């Protein structure tokens, strides 16, 4: 059935991986290549019994995983990292087939996700506790940092590998066990990662992947099961809110990586070429389907026309097509609904007075392909200003001064990522402090890094992925008081 030819065909799995075993189901769902609508694989639905088994066995595996020395855990994680990198090429083929992103980006995502495993394999050695000075003789106070326990997770289709590894790497390094449900649209990358975790020797029950097309009932179990200590989600704010409410019934710890509406500001003192480069990286990566995509591009009126001209000539160089074709830099959108949404936002903006500078239509490359598009004259009243576009559309808004643009940038319920291009050092500090976003990129369009805390404020979520902050999300601080010492 699969048109995928891999160097290592073992990587292509079609059922859930639970407690170290591949468990077949009674019915199947199809994974479709968005570039050509072909079936990449038919995948078995997880059953309710298997789902229960995934959580029970993750709970049982906790003791064995936590009894491993830190060296043993770190070395298993390092082995997993190495195997992912050895299989980088095949993993990227799988990712492009199910998600559509260009091969270069898929290779990049595999390496980026793997880097989190490498980073947290080292961080496992630095989970230090504290000994506190107390004001009574004969007493000592300790703080132990202990793994929270079983972690469940739900992840989206736009980064089918990295969104899992950004969670699983710190969770496993902390001594937790992990059960993830990837999007039904992109389960194959997750299953390939499970295959490699098993090959690396990570014990049964420590990393399980459940696959199914009925997210709601699966999510219900993952967010309410009493044996689950923590739930970590990446996806839309609307779904995140529902899952957060479900988690309340058993007071689970939660991490939420939700939607964004990133402002990108270009000031009149910016290096325009640097700003255009940054805009290209932030806006058009993954065909505009990233949570940190520049959604509202504010350009100072003095340099507006020059910026638009330069951006236009760079956008015209983008090649739209199937991700494995030579030179392709923009793949398809994930589904028809996504293309229709982009069309609707563009039409409504133009109706309200926006000007179409480039693109604006479906691309002849195929049903789900959309032309890279530039719109100018966007205003805060337009839908496109207030919605996550999730497509290759640069929406440009002119501005006159810093105070005005900071207010406009913060005029959203989201608070994930923001960008500014300027050469004024005083302004850099003002922006870093005044922008209500979890991340601020200065003269840079792509920020993410395993050492840094990725995450949002306001309705973009809570918790951080990456760096020492990322492992805190999987640890409890346990206070131990020892009294009556001599
Ligand atoms: P989504 O619709 O919220 O889906 C995300 C995941 O939730 C998928 O696995 C989906 O399963 C599952 N899901 C949907 N409805 C559910 C329900 N009622 N109960 C349980 N699970 C449910 O989001 P998406 O469209 O896939 O992803 C795009 C969104 O993710 C954007 O808003 C983007 O900004 C955000 N995102 C945020 C970050 C970040 O780090 N902050 C990173 C990447 C993406 P199925 O797909 O199987 O239906």
């Amino acid at each position: 059935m699969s048109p995928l030819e891999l160097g290592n065909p073992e990587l292509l799995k079609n059922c859930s991986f639970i407690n170290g075993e591949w468990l077949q189901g009674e019915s199947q769902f199809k994974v479709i290549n968005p570039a050509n609508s072909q079936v990449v694989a038919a995948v078995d639905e997880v059953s309710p019994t298997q789902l229960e088994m995934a959580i029970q066995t993750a709970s049982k595996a906790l003791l064995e995983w936590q009894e491993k020395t830190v060296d043993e855990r770190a070395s298993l994680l390092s082995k997993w990292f190495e195997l992912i990198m050895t299989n980088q090429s095949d993993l990227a083929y799988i990712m492009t087939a199910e998600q559509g992103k260009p091969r270069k980006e898929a290779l990049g995502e595999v390496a980026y996700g793997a880097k989190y495993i490498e980073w947290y394999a080292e961080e496992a050695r630095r989970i230090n506790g504290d000994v506190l000075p107390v004001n009574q003789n004969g007493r000592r106070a300790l703080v132990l940092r202990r793994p929270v326990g079983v972690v469940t997770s739900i992840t989206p289709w736009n980064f089918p590998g990295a969104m899992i590894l950004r969670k699983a790497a710190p969770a496993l390094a902390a001594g937790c066990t992990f059960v993830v449900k990837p999007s039904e649209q992109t389960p194959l990358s997750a299953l390939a990662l499970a295959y490699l975790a098993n090959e690396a020797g990570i014990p049964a029950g420590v990393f399980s992947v459940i696959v199914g097309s009925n997210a709601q009932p699966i999510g219900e179990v993952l967010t309410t099961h009493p044996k689950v200590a923590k739930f970590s989600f990446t996806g839309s704010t609307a779904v995140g809110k529902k899952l957060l409410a479900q988690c309340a019934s058993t007071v689970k710890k939660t991490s939420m990586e939700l939607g964004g509406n990133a402002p990108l500001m270009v000031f009149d003192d910016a290096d325009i070429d640097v700003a255009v480069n940054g805009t290209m990286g932030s806006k058009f990566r993954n065909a505009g389907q990233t949570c940190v995509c520049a959604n509202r591009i504010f350009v100072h009126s003095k340099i507006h026309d020059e910026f638009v001209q330069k951006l236009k000539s760079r956008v015209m160089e983008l090649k739209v097509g199937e991700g494995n074709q030579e030179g392709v830099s923009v793949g398809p959108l994930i589904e028809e609904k996504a293309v229709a949404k982009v069309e609707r936002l563009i039409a409504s903006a133009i109706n309200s007075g926006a000007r179409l500078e480039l693109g604006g239509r479906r691309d002849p490359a195929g049903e789900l392909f959309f032309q890279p598009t530039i719109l100018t004259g966007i205003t805060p009243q337009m839908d496109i200003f207030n919605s996550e576009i999730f497509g290759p559309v640069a929406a440009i808004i002119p501005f006159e001064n810093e105070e005005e643009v900071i207010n406009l940038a913060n005029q959203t319920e989201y608070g994930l990522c923001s960008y500014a291009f300027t050469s004024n050092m005083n302004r850099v500090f003002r922006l870093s402090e005044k922008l209500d976003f979890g991340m601020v990129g200065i003269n840079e369009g792509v920020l993410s890094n395993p050492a840094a805390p990725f995450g949002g404020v306001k309705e973009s979520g809570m918790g951080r992925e990456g760096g020492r902050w990322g492992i805190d999300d999987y640890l409890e601080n346990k206070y131990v008081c020892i009294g009556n010492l001599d």
Side-chain angles (χ1 to χ4, degrees):
M1 156 157 309
S2 167
L4 258 180
E5 282 178 21
L6 302 175
N8 180 2
E10 288 295 322
L11 289 167
L12 198 60
K13 296 294 184 195
N14 71 345
C15 60
S16 297
F17 179 75
I18 295 170
N19 198 31
E21 289 180 43
W22 299 98
L23 300 183
Q24 288 176 340
E26 284 170 5
S27 57
Q28 294 194 314
F29 62 98
K30 287 179 179 149
V31 180
I32 307 290
N33 184 334
N36 52 26
S37 305
Q38 282 181 10
V39 176
V40 184
V43 175
D44 289 11
E45 296 271 1
V46 68
S47 71
T49 315
Q50 291 168 350
L51 180 52
E52 176 67 23
M53 192 195 296
I55 296 176
Q56 294 292 352
T57 54
S59 177
K60 279 211 188 85
L62 274 176
L63 194 63
E64 180 193 347
W65 187 235
Q66 289 172 10
E67 278 182 349
K68 292 213 175 293
T69 64
V70 71
D71 278 3
E72 286 168 334
R73 272 209 304 275
S75 129
L76 287 167
L77 286 170
S78 300
K79 182 78 190 148
W80 193 18
F81 161 75
E82 282 161 21
L83 287 178
I84 292 173
M85 291 313 294
T86 309
N87 289 277
Q88 182 185 18
S89 176
D90 279 348
L91 290 169
Y93 278 124
I94 293 173
M95 195 179 286
T96 296
E98 64 179 350
Q99 201 273 344
K101 65 181 60 186
R103 178 149 177 85
K104 194 172 158 204
E105 287 186 27
L107 286 165
E109 180 182 339
V110 172
Y112 165 75
K115 276 278 171 199
Y116 281 81
I117 307 182
E118 186 186 43
W119 203 91
Y120 282 109
E122 293 164 8
E123 189 67 1
R125 302 176 201 279
R126 291 188 284 267
I127 304 175
N128 304 323
D130 288 290
V131 182
L132 312 176
V134 286
N135 59 356
Q136 292 124 317
N137 289 333
R139 251 189 190 203
R140 298 290 183 279
L142 318 181
V143 179
L144 310 185
R145 294 175 80 219
R146 301 292 304 155
V148 295
V150 175
V151 176
T152 55
S153 172
I154 295 182
T155 53
W157 50 266
N158 63 343
F159 289 93
M163 295 303 102
I164 295 172
L165 295 179
R166 280 200 332 201
K167 301 176 190 301
L172 266 53
C176 299
T177 56
F178 192 85
V179 178
V180 60
K181 186 209 86 74
S183 167
E184 68 170 297
Q185 285 163 310
T186 56
L188 303 176
S189 296
L191 294 172
L193 290 173
Y195 170 78
L196 294 174
N198 193 39
E199 289 291 292
I202 291 178
V206 172
F207 180 78
S208 292
V209 176
I210 48 174
V211 286
S213 65
N214 207 346
Q216 199 275 332
I218 298 173
E220 188 90 31
V221 176
L222 298 184
T223 52
T224 59
H225 198 293
K227 289 230 156 118
V228 174
K230 158 141 194 155
F231 176 70
S232 179
F233 177 69
T234 300
S236 64
T237 296
V239 173
K241 285 179 184 175
K242 280 188 203 151
L243 298 176
L244 198 51
Q246 287 171 204
C247 285
S249 66
T250 47
V251 195
K252 297 202 191 311
K253 277 172 87 79
T254 54
S255 293
M256 293 276 149
E257 292 288 347
L258 307 178
N261 181 355
L264 183 151
M265 288 150 272
V266 187
F267 289 88
D268 54 352
D269 54 22
D271 179 325
I272 296 190
D273 294 327
V274 169
V276 168
N277 250 339
T279 307
M280 295 298 294
S282 167
K283 180 70 252 183
F284 294 100
R285 197 163 55 101
N286 207 7
Q289 304 172 107
T290 81
C291 52
V292 290
C293 266
N295 211 55
R296 296 168 295 153
I297 301 169
F298 297 96
V299 184
H300 194 279
S301 59
K302 270 197 203 157
I303 51 152
H304 178 273
D305 293 355
E306 184 184 352
F307 176 86
V308 171
Q309 273 320 311
K310 287 193 163 171
L311 186 68
K312 221 170 166 175
S313 48
R314 286 288 302 278
V315 173
M316 282 161 74
E317 288 167 8
L318 294 174
K319 184 170 168 195
V320 178
E322 194 278 324
N324 289 306
Q325 283 170 16
E326 194 59 33
V328 160
S329 44
V330 179
L333 299 191
I334 191 72
E335 60 189 352
E336 173 55 33
K337 248 188 345 196
V339 186
K341 178 183 175 190
V342 168
E343 281 181 325
R344 198 173 58 246
L345 288 173
I346 292 174
S348 145
I350 292 172
N351 270 342
S352 310
R355 185 180 140 97
L356 182 65
E357 303 280 349
L358 195 68
R361 293 167 187 276
R362 288 179 193 239
D363 191 276
E367 270 174 45
L368 300 181
F369 291 87
F370 203 86
Q371 294 174 339
T373 296
I374 301 179
L375 288 170
T376 51
I378 300 298
T379 66
Q381 291 71 37
M382 295 177 183
D383 279 355
I384 201 163
F385 184 99
N386 299 300
S387 326
E388 217 181 352
I389 304 171
F390 249 56
V393 183
I396 298 180
I397 308 123
F399 73 91
E400 299 300 332
N401 66 60
E402 183 182 308
E403 195 188 343
E404 172 205 4
V405 78
I406 292 176
N407 284 335
L408 283 172
N410 288 338
Q411 193 179 308
T412 168
E413 70 273 27
Y414 294 108
L416 189 58
C417 196
S418 55
Y419 308 87
F421 291 82
T422 176
S423 56
N424 178 333
M425 230 358 162
N426 294 319
R427 192 186 334 260
V428 167
F429 281 95
R430 287 196 296 272
L431 292 170
S432 306
E433 287 158 16
K434 289 184 179 167
L435 287 167
D436 289 338
F437 294 83
M439 296 174 280
V440 182
I442 304 286
N443 298 329
E444 192 49 77
V446 181
L447 316 185
S448 192
N449 183 305
F454 188 105
V457 299
K458 293 159 69 179
E459 293 194 15
S460 286
M462 57 181 86
R464 291 294 181 268
E465 293 183 347
R468 62 187 163 83
W469 307 272
I471 207 159
D472 283 347
D473 273 21
Y474 298 94
L475 293 167
E476 293 280 13
N477 293 316
K478 186 184 275 185
Y479 167 46
V480 180
C481 176
I482 307 172
N484 293 296
L485 296 166
D486 289 337

